Amino acid sequence: MRSFKLIERYKSTQVHALTPPDANPSSTTTSCAATGKVNHHSKWLKLSQTISASAAEPLLPCGFPKTELIEPPIDPHLKSVNHVETLASLYRRFQTCSKLDKLLICLEQYSLLRSLGDPKLLRRCLWTARQNVADVPSKVVLSAWLRYERREDELLGSTSMECGGHILECPKAAMVPRYDSNSFYDHCQCRLGTVDGSDKEMIVGDDGCSTSNEDNDVSFCIGDEEINCVRNRIAVLSGPFETMLYGSFIESNRVRIDFSENGISVEGMRAVEVFSRTRRLDSFNPEIVLELLSFANRFCCEEMKSACDAYLASLVCNIGDALILIDYGLEETASLLVAACLQVLLRELPSSLYNLKVVKIFCSIEAKERLAMVGHASFLLYYFLSQVAMEENMVSKTTLMLLERLRECATEKWQKALALHQLGCVRLERKEYEDAECCFEAAIGVGHVYSVAGLARAKYKQGHQYSSYDLMNSLISDYKSVGWMYQERSLYCNGRMKIFDLNTATQLDPMLSFPYKYRAVALMEEKQIRASITEIDKIIGFKVSPDCLELRAWFFIALEDYPSALRDIRALLALEPNYMMFHWKVSADHLVELLSCRVQQWSQADCWMQLYDRWSCIDDIGSLAVIHQMLVNDPHKSLLRFRQSLLLLRLNCQKAAMRSLRLARNHSVSEHERLVYEGWISYDTGHHEEALSKAEESIALQRSFEAFFLKAYVLADTSLNPESSAYVIQLLEEALKCPSDGLRKGQALNNLGSIYVDCGKLDLAADCYMNALDIKHTRAHQGLARVCHLKNQKKAAYNEMTKLIDKARNNASAYEKRSEYCDREMAMNDLSMATRLDPLRTYPYRYRAAGERRKLYNNMNLILPVLMDDQKETEAVEELTRALAFKPDLQMLHLRAAFYESMSDFVSAIHDCEAALCLDPNHTDTLDLYNRAQDQAATHQQQK
């Protein structure tokens, strides 16, 4: 629904730059536990040792950053020089490969999309991979990986083996060797006891009938004890027993057989006898079953081994059980038992990675070989482990060892490239430059072009600046230019050439933060502090990251503008609560304390007033800072955590937003409040039905604004027809009757107005928007402008958007929207401003590509050209190509494919459709265009 997208809750560009630490690797220990989580952002800024002599000196213990000492990170991901071509190839391969190969293609897609930072795309890759595997080892890893992506370990009251209700993430479903072809959103029935293999009572074989009518005709003697058995029942346990009891061995003629030297106790042999008759294990304690497992291995009793394996696997419930039983499983090659133990260890990540016993199970060569003996040492397993380790501590020895195991498991070229490149990045961080150079060279050897940047950096660190420059220069000559190529080359040149490369990098890829940071620091060195703030503001305006906020705080401290510096540091802490500043020497929390002494103190009531003002003027960073201050005074206030999550989502910081939402859930003081936050968590992770269910449960307990609002939001986003629209209106009206503050009621009024517009009730919509404006919900100007436009009051619509632009601190979207209500020349000016403020917004590129004559395409607001000449079509394609070079976007790919189709370039149209479908394989409009282009291409080929 168009109107509900105004909140921009679900922009998904994730900003989490990984930067090189300045840590001495010799100080790192063999595990993440000893080193703790390394904060990489702060190490973007290697500082001058010259202490400032200004009044800000006590706040800057390490001085200011210098241009020659700052550098960008080497991203530890696969990165293609042509995203569109790579995505299209992946889609084609996925459509034509066998079921067994789909897992590896999903993993390859995941590894490439990591560089885009969109958690929704990454989650879809894992879902698809999980859907297309049948073997237990792969299912165990993928279900644990999906749990990790949701960070359910941070939810109080949840356990690692608890089923979240979704079959693709269910730990019990993962232990059943079969395909789960269910939808991503299908619910699991394991809580009702209907998942196969979930019971502890293991019955194997046929009916497990009683043998009371059979006579015991053989006895096994262990010491002075005799265990009476039925000969033929024991014989059918295995081939060796059958040969011994019915073959040419002397035991075949004996009634009493001495079994004292065969390593089984009297209790164990009695259990064998019971199992031979009943095929049941539930009456034995685990120690006896372990003895039976060993006995079954020794005498090749496959049925008994499978039963013991499954029974013991069903007993593994926590990390203590897993650490005890996994050694037995590895020793006896009990694959299912090992899977159950690994499942617990993996579902306890990242905390289990701080357990030395767990590290020992995975990290050494011998450990990997033991896992391989039972079919569990896979590239998938070590890919998951190494990614978690890198996020926790990139320079730890644990991370290094896991990546070495990943490299050993790699078989395909892309797997080797990934493992070698990531090894190179880790060794570069650890200052092991020669080893890093070797890793990057090997990655280049298997076709990973981006590793050339890593190789150049490793050489540069060893003093070979010219070699590094020559490498990047050759790369730029050999390939179509990409932003990161010029960014990297800028490190190895000086003067005008450096500035040229940095400016070119920004033109090609405005998402790269280093060029902005370098230019800002350079201006700072020239004592143009306000100009440096203006430069860093350019990227903070559309891509908020802790390192850029830290740098801007530095500049404000230099200006002695302490309130602004404090605002940025508080906002920074909302993104990363444990952030360390000044070369990892001062905690951001401590700097907040120092700065707080230099600014006016606010009471909690003052904070609410400040939050109201900043929220109203769409100052998201200022609002984050106020909420952080309020949380210092009341850290368990779930309402504030929820507001924090809304702001972080609006800033495209989804990872931090989800953390705040989980904290809101954990600090809930009532059941109905907890259900609302759980509903939002479900919604944000793609589980809309579950979100709706949580909202209904909350309303049943207590009618509240947030519960009604959640239910209305989910229903409106899922499907909006006249009948459902009426129900959504009713829900929003109920929400407005419940107690809440103006900030949230303004949002509800705004959404209600949007529904009325969709239903054609313009006067009612206008009333809602006016009421929202009365309580300072500034975004309502946009809705009111839409109403004016639909009433053919174009000038009034333009004026409403102008008011929004004047009031809003973040106003790129307002410029974009205002362009719809003015003539072409003014629209182009507004769209140029929108692109300058936020280059990631796709509408301006689409508008400029479409030209003067355009129309809406279906319900996607995609603009297509109508009867354009060849030159304009070419210019349109070039406009879209510039944007696609740094941001592969579904809508722009679809639009460019439509241009290609209109130009009869069906091959290029098919290519773009395939890339778009790789991002969303169920996108109906693209599927239609894809099929049409394929038919036209086939017809064109036949006519030749």
Side-chain angles (χ1 to χ4, degrees), residues 789 793-795 797-799 801-802 805 814-831 843 847 854:
H789 177 68
Q793 301 170 1
K794 196 169 183 179
K795 179 64 175 176
Y798 182 88
N799 290 337
M801 293 309 301
T802 301
I805 289 171
Y815 278 106
E816 178 185 289
K817 195 65 181 176
R818 191 175 71 171
S819 69
E820 297 182 15
Y821 309 132
C822 53
D823 59 43
R824 176 166 174 76
E825 183 177 353
M826 295 174 68
M828 292 298 287
N829 291 335
D830 277 355
L831 291 174
Y843 176 85
Y847 183 96
R854 57 196 186 274

Side-chain angles (χ1 to χ4, degrees), residues 554-701:
W554 243 312
F555 299 151
F556 281 127
I557 291 174
L559 282 177
E560 300 182 29
D561 183 354
Y562 301 128
S564 296
L566 183 59
R567 175 204 62 202
D568 282 352
I569 297 171
R570 286 192 182 279
L572 178 160
L573 283 166
L575 272 71
E576 288 200 12
N578 299 317
Y579 196 84
M580 298 291 291
M581 301 182 68
F582 304 148
H583 197 36
W584 224 52
K585 289 182 168 60
V586 179
S587 73
D589 280 320
H590 180 61
L591 193 57
V592 165
E593 293 176 9
L594 295 177
L595 287 169
S596 296
C597 299
R598 299 172 181 247
V599 300
Q600 181 181 354
Q601 298 300 304
W602 293 337
S603 67
Q604 201 76 344
D606 293 331
C607 286
W608 274 109
M609 293 299 297
Q610 293 291 333
L611 177 60
Y612 201 93
D613 290 342
R614 282 161 174 73
W615 198 289
S616 297
C617 68
I618 315 180
D619 178 7
D620 295 332
I621 291 177
S623 299
L624 270 181
V626 174
I627 288 178
H628 179 269
Q629 181 173 348
M630 297 170 77
L631 283 168
V632 170
N633 299 328
D634 191 357
H636 301 301
K637 189 75 171 179
S638 59
L639 174 65
L640 294 175
R641 293 289 183 187
F642 179 57
R643 298 295 170 81
Q644 188 180 59
S645 74
L646 295 176
L647 289 165
L648 289 167
L649 279 171
R650 207 149 65 190
L651 291 169
N652 295 330
C653 302
Q654 192 174 51
K655 185 175 181 179
M658 294 304 294
R659 182 182 60 243
S660 295
L661 199 48
R662 288 189 292 270
L663 287 171
R665 181 263 185 198
N666 290 344
H667 294 317
S668 300
V669 295
S670 63
E671 178 72 6
H672 74 87
E673 185 183 13
R674 180 183 63 79
L675 286 166
V676 168
Y677 300 140
E678 288 180 352
W680 281 119
I681 291 172
S682 297
Y683 183 89
D684 287 346
T685 52
H687 300 293
H688 293 190
E689 289 185 11
E690 183 178 331
L692 195 60
S693 175
K694 295 285 186 182
E696 291 168 347
E697 286 183 57
S698 180
I699 292 170
L701 291 174

Side-chain angles (χ1 to χ4, degrees), residues 391-561:
E391 287 186 20
E392 291 297 299
N393 186 345
M394 196 162 180
V395 298
S396 74
K397 192 170 182 180
T398 296
T399 302
L400 186 63
M401 289 191 293
L402 288 171
L403 284 171
E404 289 286 2
R405 304 293 82 77
L406 180 70
R407 179 183 59 81
E408 293 163 3
C409 291
T411 54
E412 298 190 6
K413 288 179 67 175
W414 74 266
Q415 296 175 348
K416 295 176 182 178
L418 175 67
L420 289 165
H421 180 74
Q422 292 189 330
L423 267 172
C425 291
V426 169
R427 292 196 180 279
L428 191 66
E429 297 269 347
R430 290 167 59 89
K431 298 187 177 182
E432 299 169 359
Y433 301 129
E434 290 185 7
D435 291 336
E437 182 178 338
C438 293
C439 291
F440 287 127
E441 284 179 338
I444 295 167
V446 290
H448 190 226
V449 177
Y450 178 60
S451 291
V452 174
L455 177 61
R457 190 75 63 86
K459 286 181 176 291
Y460 176 66
K461 293 294 186 180
Q462 297 174 77
H464 306 306
Q465 181 173 342
Y466 179 77
S467 296
S468 299
Y469 180 85
D470 191 49
L471 275 171
M472 297 311 302
N473 208 36
S474 299
L475 192 64
I476 290 171
S477 301
D478 294 342
Y479 292 90
K480 185 176 180 179
S481 297
V482 184
W484 59 261
M485 296 179 183
Y486 284 91
Q487 174 181 270
E488 191 65 27
R489 192 175 71 172
S490 72
L491 299 177
Y492 315 127
C493 53
N494 300 298
R496 292 182 178 179
M497 188 62 187
K498 179 185 281 286
I499 298 302
F500 171 81
D501 278 355
L502 289 170
N503 292 340
T504 304
T506 299
Q507 291 170 7
L508 293 172
D509 186 354
M511 296 173 65
L512 296 171
S513 61
F514 172 73
Y516 299 94
K517 292 165 65 175
Y518 183 92
R519 290 188 292 263
V521 174
L523 289 166
M524 178 73 184
E525 290 179 339
E526 296 172 3
K527 302 191 183 307
Q528 300 180 49
I529 303 177
R530 295 198 180 277
S532 67
I533 292 173
T534 301
E535 180 64 29
I536 203 65
D537 277 347
K538 292 177 183 177
I539 190 167
I540 291 176
F542 66 91
K543 181 182 175 182
V544 178
S545 61
D547 51 313
C548 290
L549 287 172
E550 178 185 9
L551 188 57
R552 191 169 72 174
W554 243 312
F555 299 151
F556 281 127
I557 291 174
L559 282 177
E560 300 182 29
D561 183 354

